[in-house]
Amino acid sequence: MSPPPFAGAAGAPPRARVLPRFLTRLLAVVAVVLGTALAGPLPAARASVTLTQVSDFGSNPGALTMYVYRPASLPAHPPVVVALHGCTQNAQVYADNSGLPQLADRDGFLLVLAQTGSANNASQCFNWFQTTDNRRGQGEALSIRQMVSQAVTAYGADPQRVYVTGLSAGGAMTAVMLATYPDVFSAGAVVAGLPYDCTRDNSPYTCMNPGVDLSPDAWAQRVRDAYPSYTGPWPRTAVWYGDQDTTVVPRNATELRDQWTALHGLSQTPSRTATIGPDATRQDQYLAADGTVAVEVDRVPGIGHGTPVDPGTGTQQCGSTGAPYFAASICSSYWIARFFGLDTTDSGGGGTGGGGSGAACWTASNYAQVQAGRATTSGGYTYAKGSQQNMGLYNTFVTHTLKESPTGYYTIADSGCP
């Protein structure tokens, strides 16, 4: 199968990049290996999702296009999920088939879809392997970060709840965003992607197949090198792979696990293992000291390269197989939203109130306690109103019981209330 011609070769592309012939050929080879040289054009996807293009979101050094899906009913200060499509795809195809918009409707988050084009890459792949695009403060990485800033400003989104996910080249770019902007993204989900900065000393082809084996500490150091002055918490990371993927081989799931568990200071032995979904996907979870899932690896049996979807109307179903690289299996977007803490159908996300002996008691996640006005947040942490007791990280995973006595004064009462 011959590679597609490099778009823009006859003249300077819009980004004013002048590429050497060997790099032009390399980009074409990478596109082919990522499964992008199709025998014919993509079938027309069902244009069921209405996206809004945002034309002015910053200097946009990566020459990307920004689209937004805003649910009809969006809460104040909503979370943001950034989605990055795979090669030969675009924002519309990813929106129509991934299931993310229907989850945005149900769970109340703003969906931002970044799109690249043939002027950047022969087969519309994000340039996860180029230092001009995978470093903080430049190229495509900076363009995506600017999209987040625009979403926070224009839609009043919550800057403490920003997440990113993507497929293949978009999955590799997800790892780029988590590494280069750990101060922006709380968590991410890499679908059939690669560890950050594998191409520092390897070709993209080698990184994809057969993959590169480094020690956990060596992988972690590559992330630290992306933002050396950063001292804050590392993003939580989920990894999704089809166990029959021959394009970006499953070995990369193991290397991604090594990279991110090492960053969190965790063992590479899972804290717990379960099977989920209709196809018995193996889910390995690695827990932080506070009990939150810092790293998760989901290995989907029987599928190759693509985003796992499960068309249907059930609670755990989503997506469509109407375009290439969407594999009928498990609804990965549902489980990713749940990993991010956005799933409103999860009974663990609510709160309960009760009283007795003149005191009211409320058990809920730190996020829910803040939203209910019983706690405040500062610097990423949660504090009980009145007593100012530190409740831990501001997220949906840490849960406390608060006792209100007198009215408006809250104390932690995890051991019993009243």
Side-chain angles (χ1 to χ4, degrees):
M1 185 181 298
S2 60
F6 181 71
R15 294 177 66 177
R17 287 182 177 164
V18 180
L19 297 177
R21 185 181 301 274
F22 81 91
L23 185 52
T24 294
R25 290 176 176 171
L26 174 61
L27 293 178
V29 170
V30 169
V32 174
V33 175
L34 280 171
T36 61
L38 304 179
L42 286 172
R46 296 175 297 104
S48 58
V49 177
T50 300
L51 303 179
T52 300
Q53 183 175 347
V54 178
S55 57
D56 184 10
F57 58 88
S59 60
N60 191 18
L64 302 180
T65 305
M66 176 181 178
Y67 291 93
V68 170
Y69 177 76
R70 185 189 188 282
S73 180
L74 193 67
H77 310 300
V80 177
V81 174
V82 177
L84 307 175
H85 62 79
C87 297
T88 73
Q89 297 177 339
N90 56 34
Q92 188 69 58
V93 167
Y94 210 69
D96 287 343
N97 293 279
S98 66
L100 286 168
Q102 72 190 70
L103 292 168
D105 287 335
R106 187 182 72 189
D107 297 335
F109 60 82
L110 185 72
L111 181 61
V112 173
L113 299 110
Q115 178 175 296
T116 188
S118 58
N120 284 5
N121 181 282
S123 291
Q124 299 169 219
C125 309
F126 289 99
N127 289 320
W128 56 274
F129 48 88
Q130 292 190 166
T131 56
T132 50
D133 289 301
N134 66 14
R135 296 296 192 260
R136 184 179 175 90
Q138 61 190 47
E140 292 178 357
L142 179 54
S143 289
I144 295 169
R145 195 271 175 267
Q146 290 175 343
M147 293 181 193
V148 173
S149 295
Q150 173 67 15
V152 170
T153 300
Y155 296 89
D158 186 349
Q160 300 298 321
R161 293 188 295 153
V162 179
Y163 311 94
V164 60
T165 185
L167 164 67
S168 190
M173 201 68 192
T174 294
V176 169
M177 299 312 299
L178 296 176
T180 56
Y181 291 99
D183 52 333
V184 173
F185 296 96
S186 297
V190 178
V191 183
L194 300 99
Y196 175 68
D197 210 17
C198 178
T199 52
R200 177 190 295 186
D201 45 12
N202 298 280
S203 74
Y205 181 93
T206 299
C207 290
M208 291 182 289
N209 188 350
V212 173
D213 181 22
L214 296 181
S215 71
D217 288 342
W219 279 126
Q221 189 58 47
R222 297 197 177 199
V223 174
R224 296 188 188 99
D225 291 344
Y227 187 8
S229 63
Y230 181 68
T231 58
W234 293 106
R236 300 169 53 252
T237 304
V239 180
W240 281 79
Y241 262 84
D243 70 359
Q244 303 300 309
D245 194 336
T246 58
T247 302
V248 183
V249 296
R251 179 180 194 174
N252 284 290
T254 301
E255 302 304 312
L256 275 161
R257 177 208 64 187
D258 290 354
Q259 187 168 61
W260 290 93
T261 52
L263 281 165
H264 284 275
L266 302 176
S267 164
Q268 284 70 59
T269 301
S271 305
R272 61 191 181 204
T273 296
T275 55
I276 60 171
D279 58 358
T281 291
R282 173 174 166 161
Q283 183 180 81
D284 293 335
Q285 295 183 325
Y286 303 80
L287 305 185
D290 63 2
T292 61
V293 181
V295 178
E296 178 180 289
V297 180
D298 297 273
R299 301 179 189 270
V300 186
I303 70 167
H305 194 63
T307 297
V309 295
D310 183 13
T313 58
T315 299
Q316 296 183 11
Q317 291 183 294
C318 73
S320 166
T321 57
Y325 309 117
F326 294 95
S329 180
I330 182 175
C331 171
S332 57
S333 292
Y334 163 79
W335 292 96
I336 287 169
R338 182 169 176 161
F339 177 78
F340 290 164
L342 305 177
D343 176 25
T344 58
T345 66
D346 186 352
S347 61
T352 59
S357 303
C361 301
W362 309 88
T363 300
S365 70
N366 280 356
Y367 169 73
Q369 299 282 23
V370 170
Q371 296 302 303
R374 296 185 287 268
T376 60
T377 182
S378 176
Y381 288 86
T382 308
Y383 300 89
K385 276 191 175 179
S387 69
Q388 292 301 304
Q389 290 175 304
N390 189 332
M391 300 164 60
L393 293 173
Y394 175 49
N395 58 34
T396 59
F397 299 94
V398 179
T399 298
H400 285 292
T401 298
L402 292 181
K403 178 174 71 175
E404 183 182 16
S405 181
T407 300
Y409 188 94
Y410 299 87
T411 55
I412 298 174
D414 292 340
S415 58
C417 188

